[in-house]
Amino acid sequence: GDKKPAIYRIPKTLEFFTVSSPADATQTFFSCRISEIQDVYCLAEDGQSCFDAKVVQAATEKERDQLLLLVLRTGSRLYMIEETAASRDNFLECLRILCIYAQAATGAPPQKKATGGM
């Protein structure tokens, strides 16, 4: 897929993670239950081994520092580029906490790894 400007949302129920168009929130690019997120990888911290080489090559050097990969329990993958390293770190920490909360609430098994903020 192509790079698209997007915003992500988590409703007050803390159950879903949705990525949509910044111009039209009804145009959803990606949506999942937070409890379905198996892992989140950060290229800057985890290295290239879990990232598709084509995605890494298509990213600029600055984008690579902010490149994230969400992997769902179904195997689906979502690549994201945060605006800054600080927003990347905040996203990783907040999503880690939300995933722990969601898994405890649903009884889902814990994440497979502990690096990259997850």
Side-chain angles (χ1 to χ4, degrees):
D2 298 323
K3 293 180 197 173
K4 296 178 185 174
I7 55 173
Y8 54 83
R9 291 185 168 85
I10 298 171
K12 290 180 183 182
T13 61
L14 306 177
E15 289 183 55
F16 293 95
F17 175 82
T18 303
V19 179
S20 59
S21 165
D24 180 4
T26 64
Q27 186 182 359
T28 300
F29 300 139
F30 179 87
S31 184
C32 70
R33 288 186 164 279
I34 291 177
S35 62
E36 289 300 309
I37 298 172
Q38 177 177 310
D39 217 331
V40 179
Y41 296 94
C42 172
L43 182 65
E45 294 178 14
D46 296 315
Q48 295 186 15
S49 63
C50 52
F51 287 80
D52 185 301
K54 290 179 183 178
V55 173
V56 175
Q57 290 170 358
T60 66
E61 187 175 331
K62 181 180 184 245
E63 290 171 337
R64 288 178 189 156
D65 189 49
Q66 286 123 228
L67 184 61
L68 301 166
L69 167 60
L70 274 72
V71 178
L72 302 187
R73 295 179 190 288
T74 62
S76 295
R77 300 159 70 94
L78 172 71
Y79 290 93
M80 297 174 48
I81 300 170
E82 270 290 352
E83 291 182 346
T84 65
S87 64
R88 175 204 66 206
D89 292 344
N90 287 337
F91 175 83
L92 287 169
E93 181 67 15
C94 291
L95 196 59
R96 180 187 68 81
I97 292 167
L98 287 172
C99 286
I100 291 168
Y101 169 80
Q103 290 165 3
T106 62
Q111 255 72 28
K112 289 185 177 179
K113 68 182 213 51
T115 61
M118 290 291 289

